[in-house]
Amino acid sequence: MFYDYNIDSTLVALAQQAEQDALPHFQHIDDVCLYASAKVLKAFQNNNLATTDFFEESGYGYSDAGREKLEKIYAEIFDAEDALVRAQIMSGAHALSLTFFGLLKHGDTLLSISGEPYDSLKSIIGITGNSRNSLIANGINYQQIELIDDDFDTTAIQAALQKQYIKVLTIQRSRGYSHRKSLCIDKIEKICKLIKQLSPKTIIVVDNCYGEFVETREPTHVGADLVVGSLMKNLGGGVAKTGGYIVGKAEFINDVAERFSAPGIGKDIGANLNQLFSFFKGLYSAPSVVASSLKTMIFASRLLELLGYNVAPKYNEKRTDIIQTIQLGTREKLIAFCQGIQKGAPIESFAVPEAGFTPGYPHEEIMASGSFISGSTIELSCDGPIIPPYTAFLQGGITYEYGKLGILIALNQIIKSNN
Ligand SMILES: *Cc1c(COP(=O)(O)O)cnc(C)c1O
């Protein structure tokens, strides 16, 4: 059944059951995918996209019609005023760094209301490391309010906003590498309403990494002023070779753009380096690629649950991002699973990932990513810190079929390594 892959026969039987159980939950994913596709298509048409918009601009990149249309299309999809979508934005962390440095000045306060931020943001803020260029080193105050039972601590947020003026408030939609649940759009909507009531001038920034096109609404639809993400994730559709985006209120996009290039220059500069074609095509593919990733995760969630592992979210739970966690329980199993994911990849399937230390990370880590775009996590990939409960963070899958094969090859590896 699985061609040449010698998948263990009990695993094949369980996979069939997992898929049976998963199938009813695919309908909702297909519905959201169709909705997002219609939105993307309409934005392409409303902006009269033409093949001439794919041309390379070198040098300064003044008045690049294609680049301007790309940013208008992003803004339209997010129902926002403006957007900055550039090849010169190198990652999600870079996009977030530009955003915070663009908005915050010496003496201003940044408040995170979703607890500890994503690992690479800690050094940008200055809560880890000793960079003399962090936000804190630049005289910006940082405060953090923990989540309670995976939801916002309304009382503490209310108190913080009443006590002092918070210039920027940030929310991380996805769980990142934490064990909390991701924050769905309904929850973000409720808290944005409260924030705007108490402190209308506070700028709400949402780290939208891994969340795009998972629900019909994005944070900009429910009160966020700026929304930030990486093109190596959902909106790159596995096609964009680099890049990041920021969408939202024009005034704040200008602040970020002036940090991105230079004051007074803002969005007007920046050669497209021939990346526009891949940005457009990636965005066009993104709804379907996100849907495939979600189906892969639901299948993996159910199959690993049937195999006795603790998984989050469960196959029948509501999702707001493409991350799946699996508690593998032992160091050996986590390593074997990641090695298996690598074995099932189209690129560098011959490589054997090993546990090791990465700069900026407190624990040994293992990462499997045999992707077309280096480090891309909209392609099937898996990583995890080598600490109890040995949790794998799994995400991506350009097509459901490759995703499913990748999961089965990975699990086969665990079964084989046990023998
Ligand atoms: C991936 C991610 C980032 C950082 O993006 P990079 O492209 O890896 O720099 C930030 N926040 C969250 C929640 C993420 O998942």
Side-chain angles (χ1 to χ4, degrees):
M1 176 174 175
F2 291 106
Y3 191 56
D4 239 2
Y5 278 105
N6 280 322
I7 306 289
D8 178 88
S9 59
T10 42
L11 183 56
V12 171
L14 274 180
Q16 279 165 341
Q17 194 195 328
E19 188 161 68
Q20 280 288 309
D21 296 343
L23 273 174
H25 301 280
F26 288 1
Q27 186 58 51
H28 173 68
I29 294 171
D30 290 333
D31 292 345
V32 176
C33 178
L34 181 61
Y35 179 85
S37 302
K39 215 164 183 179
V40 170
L41 183 61
K42 196 77 195 149
F44 275 41
Q45 294 173 347
N46 286 348
N47 287 283
N48 297 323
L49 196 65
T51 49
T52 47
D53 294 316
F54 303 151
F55 288 169
E56 175 164 23
E57 291 281 355
S58 57
Y60 295 95
Y62 290 127
S63 56
D64 177 344
R67 189 188 69 209
E68 279 159 25
K69 279 189 194 176
L70 176 74
E71 290 177 339
K72 283 210 175 107
I73 288 169
Y74 262 75
E76 184 171 331
I77 290 167
F78 281 84
D79 286 316
E81 291 172 4
D82 203 356
L84 184 70
V85 188
R86 299 296 171 104
Q88 289 88 355
I89 302 178
M90 292 170 264
S91 66
H94 186 204
L96 285 157
S97 179
L98 290 170
T99 303
F100 293 136
F101 277 101
L103 297 174
L104 292 154
K105 305 284 168 282
H106 190 279
D108 289 342
T109 300
L110 170 66
L111 171 67
S112 162
I113 60 163
S114 46
E116 234 185 30
Y118 191 76
D119 279 318
S120 50
L121 271 154
K122 290 181 196 159
S123 60
I124 295 169
I125 296 168
I127 42 185
T128 62
N130 50 3
S131 169
R132 61 181 191 185
N133 301 301
S134 67
L135 290 168
I136 290 172
N138 274 279
I140 289 145
N141 306 306
Y142 174 72
Q143 293 174 15
Q144 179 176 307
I145 296 173
E146 304 306 316
L147 295 168
I148 298 183
D149 296 331
D150 295 321
D151 206 343
F152 298 108
D153 183 348
T154 323
T155 321
I157 294 167
Q158 200 154 345
L161 290 171
Q162 278 162 349
K163 192 169 144 217
Q164 89 223 80
Y165 172 58
I166 306 284
K167 172 97 183 268
V168 177
L169 180 150
T170 183
I171 299 169
Q172 183 182 304
R173 176 175 175 184
S174 174
R175 57 191 299 161
Y177 292 112
S178 71
H179 285 273
R180 70 156 166 100
K181 281 188 183 162
S182 300
L183 294 156
C184 65
I185 296 291
D186 282 345
K187 285 181 185 168
I188 294 176
E189 180 172 35
K190 267 193 213 135
I191 205 67
C192 284
K193 274 203 182 120
L194 178 75
I195 297 158
K196 290 292 172 193
Q197 248 169 29
L198 294 168
S199 181
K201 281 177 72 188
T202 292
I203 306 164
I204 304 176
V205 172
V206 175
D207 174 353
N208 206 29
C209 282
Y210 289 132
E212 301 91 350
F213 293 158
V214 175
E215 298 194 53
T216 52
R217 297 184 301 170
E218 297 296 337
T220 36
H221 297 114
V222 298
D225 296 300
L226 285 183
V227 168
V228 185
S230 161
L231 300 195
M232 273 70 80
K233 297 180 180 173
N234 302 19
L235 292 187
V239 181
K241 290 182 187 165
T242 184
Y245 77 91
I246 300 118
V247 291
K249 298 249 166 74
E251 177 193 356
F252 305 133
I253 290 291
N254 183 60
D255 287 330
V256 177
E258 290 200 335
R259 181 77 194 191
F260 163 76
S261 62
I265 298 174
K267 286 182 66 180
D268 294 337
I269 199 169
N272 66 47
L273 305 173
N274 208 19
Q275 297 307 306
L276 291 177
F277 177 82
S278 72
F279 286 3
F280 285 119
K281 192 154 185 218
L283 180 61
Y284 185 71
S285 311
S288 155
V289 169
V290 169
S292 299
S293 302
L294 284 166
K295 288 176 183 175
T296 304
M297 292 310 115
I298 290 181
F299 169 74
S301 177
R302 183 56 176 158
L303 179 54
L304 278 131
E305 190 183 6
L306 290 173
L307 283 164
Y309 295 97
N310 245 328
V311 295
K314 299 249 198 286
Y315 75 105
N316 53 4
E317 259 180 281
K318 179 183 162 131
R319 284 168 196 256
T320 192
D321 65 15
I322 61 165
I323 311 275
Q324 178 67 46
T325 66
I326 306 146
Q327 285 183 20
L328 288 157
T330 68
R331 179 189 169 96
E332 290 68 33
K333 279 186 183 165
L334 174 57
I335 292 174
F337 186 74
C338 287
Q339 290 178 344
I341 290 287
Q342 189 76 34
K343 231 185 166 119
I347 317 293
E348 275 140 14
S349 61
F350 52 85
V352 182
E354 284 183 19
F357 286 95
T358 334
Y361 288 87
H363 310 287
E364 256 190 306
E365 304 261 335
I366 183 157
M367 170 154 201
S369 164
S371 52
F372 284 86
I373 312 290
S374 176
S376 156
T377 46
I378 187 64
E379 302 177 54
L380 187 65
S381 50
C382 180
D383 48 4
I386 314 276
I387 44 165
Y390 301 100
T391 301
F393 293 80
L394 179 73
Q395 66 270 314
I398 296 287
T399 75
Y400 173 57
E401 290 72 22
Y402 289 126
K404 191 163 117 180
L405 280 170
I407 302 299
L408 289 175
I409 293 167
L411 289 173
N412 218 31
Q413 183 77 4
I414 292 194
I415 292 169
K416 274 203 274 176
S417 71
N418 278 352
N419 297 334

